[in-house]
Amino acid sequence: MENSPASRGADIDPAGLAVDLRGVVKAYDNGLVALGPIDLAVRRGEFVSLLGPSGCGKSTALRLIAALSAATSGTVRVARPAVTENGRHPIGFVFQEPTLMPWTTVRENVRLPLKLARVASSQANARVDEALARIGLSEFADSYPRELSGGMKMRVSLARALVTDPDILLMDEPFAALDEITRFRLNNDLLALWRSLRKTVIFVTHSVFESVYLSQRVLVMTPRPGRIAAEITIETKEPRSEEFRTSADYAGYCRRVSSALAPAYSGQSA
């Protein structure tokens, strides 16, 4: 499908890419250029973080990948599975806020994408149960959002994204509003999920420490219009654990990422 002047394609070359953005620019009618030009290639099964100051276009990039917004120019290509039936969707999106329906249960909040896709109840029930088990909320399936902590609400949002079995998981600062202990716990759980499911994850964050702990690559972005100023590959032993957080390697990577990020906060061009 082609949109002029920007184009969007579904076929990625055999290099194993899940997402490929080339020369992508996002500008608004008021003349504001929010993003680009930006080139971004993410391999299948990779965990990549986008790190940068507020307003640099991190969330805009996710919305372009998810086709929630159209690029002004350039090419956005996203690998899509051959089969998308039974409520399966190539992309799952976890937003900054859980955006749960307060009037219904955890189970029904997670079921919503399958309900909209008219998936048979028996199949939907099994998939909801599996998603809740994966994120550790099976015993809260019949609870209401008002009965949950902030971290638990975000887990429900993650389960709702996973229930469609996406190949690509887009996460827009999902843990930013949580306390540090909860955030660390969810970081660990997210890594465990990624190792188990091997989804492609593109994770937006303001936190140097979170980006280094989670990612295989950290992409540092410039102030608006957002461009990629630096790419830092995090090479560590797997699986990562709490020991990594206190290691010399972790501290070294955090210093490198912080140094790459510093110009963005000083108003200099990177």
Side-chain angles (χ1 to χ4, degrees):
M1 179 177 179
E2 298 291 326
N3 298 312
S4 183
S7 65
R8 184 172 187 92
D11 297 324
I12 301 277
D13 61 35
L17 295 180
V19 173
D20 190 23
L21 276 58
R22 295 295 164 193
V24 169
V25 173
K26 177 62 178 179
Y28 293 98
D29 293 341
N30 63 4
L32 176 70
V33 181
L35 185 69
I38 186 173
D39 294 334
L40 172 63
V42 180
R43 298 184 299 274
R44 294 178 187 270
E46 190 176 16
F47 198 123
V48 172
S49 284
L50 301 181
L51 177 71
S54 296
C56 74
K58 304 183 299 296
S59 298
T60 299
L62 292 193
R63 293 179 65 84
L64 295 178
I65 294 167
L68 298 176
S69 180
T72 304
S73 61
T75 303
V76 178
R77 297 197 299 167
V78 178
R80 298 184 180 273
V83 179
T84 56
E85 59 187 11
N86 295 326
R88 186 164 190 239
H89 196 279
I91 293 175
F93 207 128
V94 181
F95 295 92
Q96 294 179 25
E97 299 294 334
T99 61
L100 304 180
M101 299 180 294
W103 57 85
T104 193
T105 64
V106 165
R107 183 187 304 279
E108 292 306 311
N109 270 283
V110 174
R111 186 198 303 271
L112 180 61
L114 303 182
K115 184 177 181 179
L116 293 175
R118 301 183 184 277
V119 176
S121 294
S122 57
Q123 184 180 19
N125 289 340
R127 287 167 61 178
V128 169
D129 288 344
E130 180 183 10
L132 289 173
R134 285 192 182 279
I135 53 91
L137 281 185
S138 295
E139 63 183 297
F140 295 94
D142 297 318
S143 299
Y144 287 83
R146 64 178 179 272
E147 301 171 317
L148 306 179
S149 67
M152 293 167 72
K153 290 177 184 177
M154 192 52 69
R155 287 178 186 272
V156 177
S157 182
L158 178 57
R160 186 172 56 192
L162 291 174
V163 80
T164 62
D165 190 23
D167 291 326
I168 301 168
L169 190 60
L170 306 178
M171 306 189 73
D172 190 3
E173 296 187 75
F175 309 142
L178 303 177
D179 66 84
E180 189 173 42
I181 293 174
T182 302
R183 189 170 185 163
F184 281 7
R185 185 181 300 120
L186 286 174
N187 283 170
N188 290 339
D189 291 346
L190 177 59
L191 275 182
L193 276 172
W194 173 70
R195 291 188 200 103
S196 172
L197 301 176
R198 281 298 169 179
K199 306 292 184 184
T200 304
V201 180
I202 304 178
F203 189 94
V204 163
T205 180
H206 282 103
S207 169
V208 169
F209 307 106
E210 185 171 57
S211 69
V212 170
Y213 186 70
L214 291 174
S215 312
Q216 293 178 298
R217 281 192 297 148
V218 178
L219 305 180
V220 178
M221 296 183 64
T222 66
R224 187 172 56 238
R227 299 180 178 90
I228 294 176
E231 174 184 319
I232 296 157
T233 301
I234 312 298
E235 297 178 342
T236 64
K237 294 180 180 179
E238 289 288 349
R240 293 179 192 176
S241 66
E242 287 297 327
E243 292 182 1
F244 178 54
R245 287 192 195 274
T246 57
S247 69
D249 285 345
Y250 178 71
Y253 280 122
C254 288
R255 284 194 296 269
R256 285 181 58 190
V257 173
S258 294
S259 295
L261 187 62
Y265 285 100
S266 65
Q268 302 171 7
S269 59

